[in-house]
Amino acid sequence: MGPRAPPRGWRPRGARRPSPPNSPQGEPTPAPRGRGARATELTLAFRAATDRAVEFQAVAAAQLADPRRFDRLTPAAIAERAEWTEDYAKKMIEFGRELLHGGEGRGSADPV
């Protein structure tokens, strides 16, 4: 029998834990309160980005379904291309028209 491997996580006395490859050496980690505030900022930023993305998709759907266009698409065609249900495509088209004509729409980026 060969020598046994040391237990997982074991280090010789005085050895330092290796730093992750992408962590800056010598920089202090943020205080827990600071991390919570940063997490809240990131959450709000991601929500805002999601809202903008939904609004962008709604405006695009409304433009594709515009009856003034000779090459307009039906809600069914938009739903197929976007991998949506037809009902959702109709709601997105309506929401996009509200955004185009009224600026802010219903106040929320959720068309449902």
Side-chain angles (χ1 to χ4, degrees), residues 7 14 18 23 27-28 30 35 44 48 53 60-61 63 65-66 68 73 75 77 82-83 85-86 88 93 99-100 111:
S23 72
E27 289 189 24
R35 279 189 237 143
L44 294 175
Q63 290 173 339
D66 188 347
R68 297 173 293 181
L73 296 176
E83 297 180 2
T85 64
E86 189 171 349
Y88 186 74
I93 291 166
L99 289 171
L100 288 170

Coordinates of all heavy atoms in Angstrom, one line a residue, residues 7 14 18 23 27-28 30 35 44 48 53 60-61 63 65-66 68 73 75 77 82-83 85-86 88 93 99-100 111:
P7 N -6.0 14.7 4.1 CA -7.4 15.0 4.1 C -7.6 16.3 3.2 O -6.8 17.1 3.1 CB -7.8 15.3 5.5 CG -6.7 14.8 6.4 CD -5.5 14.7 5.5
G14 N 1.3 27.0 8.9 CA 1.9 28.2 8.4 C 1.7 28.4 6.9 O 2.0 29.5 6.4
P18 N -4.3 29.4 -1.1 CA -4.0 30.1 -2.3 C -5.1 31.0 -2.7 O -6.3 30.8 -2.4 CB -3.9 28.9 -3.3 CG -4.6 27.8 -2.6 CD -4.5 28.0 -1.2
S23 N -8.5 37.1 -8.3 CA -8.6 38.0 -7.2 C -7.4 38.9 -7.1 O -6.3 38.4 -7.2 CB -8.9 37.3 -5.9 OG -7.7 36.6 -5.5
E27 N -5.8 43.6 -1.8 CA -6.9 44.5 -1.7 C -7.9 44.0 -0.7 O -8.2 42.8 -0.7 CB -7.6 44.7 -3.1 CG -6.8 45.5 -4.1 CD -7.6 45.8 -5.3 OE1 -8.8 45.9 -5.2 OE2 -6.9 46.0 -6.3
P28 N -8.4 44.9 0.1 CA -9.4 44.4 1.1 C -10.7 44.1 0.5 O -11.1 44.6 -0.5 CB -9.5 45.6 2.1 CG -9.1 46.8 1.2 CD -8.1 46.3 0.3
P30 N -14.8 44.1 0.4 CA -15.7 45.0 0.9 C -16.4 44.5 2.1 O -16.6 43.3 2.3 CB -16.7 45.2 -0.3 CG -16.5 44.1 -1.2 CD -15.1 43.6 -0.9
R35 N -21.4 45.2 0.5 CA -21.8 44.1 -0.5 C -23.3 44.1 -0.6 O -23.8 43.9 -1.7 CB -21.3 42.8 0.0 CG -19.9 42.5 -0.3 CD -19.5 41.1 -0.1 NE -18.4 41.1 0.9 CZ -18.2 40.3 1.8 NH1 -19.1 39.3 2.0 NH2 -17.2 40.4 2.6
L44 N -31.2 46.3 -9.1 CA -32.0 47.4 -9.8 C -31.5 47.6 -11.2 O -32.4 47.8 -12.1 CB -31.9 48.6 -8.9 CG -32.6 48.6 -7.6 CD1 -32.3 49.9 -6.8 CD2 -34.0 48.3 -7.7
A48 N -33.9 47.1 -14.5 CA -34.0 48.2 -15.5 C -33.6 47.7 -16.9 O -34.3 48.0 -17.9 CB -33.2 49.4 -15.1
A53 N -35.3 45.8 -22.3 CA -35.3 44.8 -23.3 C -36.7 44.4 -23.7 O -37.0 44.2 -24.9 CB -34.6 43.5 -22.8
A60 N -40.5 46.6 -31.4 CA -40.1 45.9 -32.6 C -41.4 45.1 -33.2 O -41.6 45.1 -34.4 CB -39.0 45.0 -32.4
A61 N -42.1 44.5 -32.3 CA -43.3 43.7 -32.7 C -44.3 44.6 -33.2 O -45.0 44.3 -34.2 CB -43.8 42.9 -31.5
Q63 N -43.8 47.5 -34.7 CA -43.4 48.0 -36.0 C -43.6 46.9 -37.0 O -43.9 47.2 -38.2 CB -41.9 48.5 -35.9 CG -41.8 49.7 -35.1 CD -40.3 50.1 -34.9 OE1 -39.4 49.3 -35.0 NE2 -40.1 51.4 -34.6
A65 N -45.8 44.7 -37.1 CA -47.2 44.4 -37.3 C -48.0 45.7 -37.8 O -49.2 45.7 -38.0 CB -47.9 44.0 -36.0
D66 N -47.2 46.8 -38.1 CA -47.8 48.0 -38.5 C -48.6 47.9 -39.7 O -48.1 47.5 -40.8 CB -46.7 49.1 -38.7 CG -47.3 50.5 -38.9 OD1 -48.5 50.6 -39.1 OD2 -46.5 51.4 -38.8
R68 N -49.6 49.9 -41.8 CA -49.2 50.8 -42.9 C -48.1 50.2 -43.7 O -47.8 50.7 -44.8 CB -48.8 52.2 -42.3 CG -50.0 52.9 -41.7 CD -49.5 54.1 -41.0 NE -48.6 53.7 -39.8 CZ -48.0 54.5 -39.0 NH1 -48.2 55.8 -39.1 NH2 -47.3 54.1 -38.0
L73 N -46.2 41.9 -40.7 CA -46.4 40.5 -40.3 C -47.7 40.3 -39.4 O -48.0 41.3 -38.7 CB -45.2 40.0 -39.5 CG -43.9 40.0 -40.2 CD1 -42.7 39.6 -39.3 CD2 -43.9 39.0 -41.4
P75 N -49.8 38.7 -36.2 CA -49.3 38.3 -34.9 C -48.9 36.8 -34.8 O -47.9 36.5 -34.1 CB -50.6 38.5 -34.0 CG -51.3 39.6 -34.7 CD -51.1 39.3 -36.2
A77 N -47.3 35.2 -37.2 CA -46.0 35.2 -37.8 C -44.9 35.7 -36.8 O -43.8 35.2 -36.7 CB -45.9 35.9 -39.1
A82 N -40.6 34.8 -32.9 CA -40.0 35.2 -31.6 C -40.2 34.0 -30.6 O -39.7 34.1 -29.5 CB -40.8 36.4 -31.0
E83 N -40.8 32.9 -31.1 CA -41.0 31.8 -30.2 C -41.9 32.1 -29.0 O -41.6 31.8 -27.9 CB -39.7 31.1 -29.8 CG -38.9 30.6 -30.9 CD -37.6 29.9 -30.5 OE1 -37.3 29.9 -29.3 OE2 -36.9 29.5 -31.4
T85 N -46.2 32.7 -27.8 CA -47.6 32.3 -28.2 C -48.2 33.4 -28.9 O -47.8 34.6 -28.8 CB -48.4 32.0 -26.9 OG1 -48.6 33.2 -26.2 CG2 -47.8 30.9 -26.1
E86 N -49.3 33.1 -29.7 CA -49.9 34.2 -30.5 C -50.5 35.2 -29.5 O -50.5 36.4 -29.8 CB -51.0 33.6 -31.4 CG -51.5 34.6 -32.4 CD -52.4 34.0 -33.5 OE1 -52.4 32.8 -33.6 OE2 -53.0 34.8 -34.2
Y88 N -49.5 36.1 -26.6 CA -48.4 37.0 -26.0 C -48.0 37.9 -27.1 O -47.7 39.1 -26.8 CB -47.3 36.1 -25.5 CG -46.2 36.9 -24.8 CD1 -46.4 37.4 -23.6 CD2 -45.0 37.2 -25.5 CE1 -45.4 38.1 -22.9 CE2 -44.0 37.9 -24.8 CZ -44.2 38.4 -23.6 OH -43.2 39.1 -22.9
I93 N -47.5 43.4 -29.2 CA -47.8 44.4 -30.2 C -48.6 45.6 -29.7 O -48.3 46.7 -29.9 CB -48.6 43.7 -31.4 CG1 -47.7 42.7 -32.1 CG2 -49.1 44.8 -32.4 CD1 -48.4 41.8 -33.1
L99 N -46.3 52.2 -26.4 CA -45.0 52.8 -26.2 C -44.7 53.8 -27.3 O -44.2 54.9 -27.1 CB -43.9 51.8 -26.1 CG -43.9 50.9 -24.8 CD1 -42.8 49.8 -25.0 CD2 -43.5 51.8 -23.6
L100 N -45.0 53.4 -28.5 CA -44.8 54.3 -29.7 C -45.6 55.5 -29.7 O -45.2 56.6 -30.0 CB -45.0 53.5 -31.0 CG -43.9 52.5 -31.3 CD1 -44.4 51.6 -32.5 CD2 -42.6 53.1 -31.6
P111 N -45.9 43.3 -20.4 CA -47.1 43.5 -21.2 C -48.2 42.6 -20.8 O -49.3 42.7 -21.4 CB -46.5 43.1 -22.6 CG -45.5 42.2 -22.3 CD -44.8 42.6 -21.0

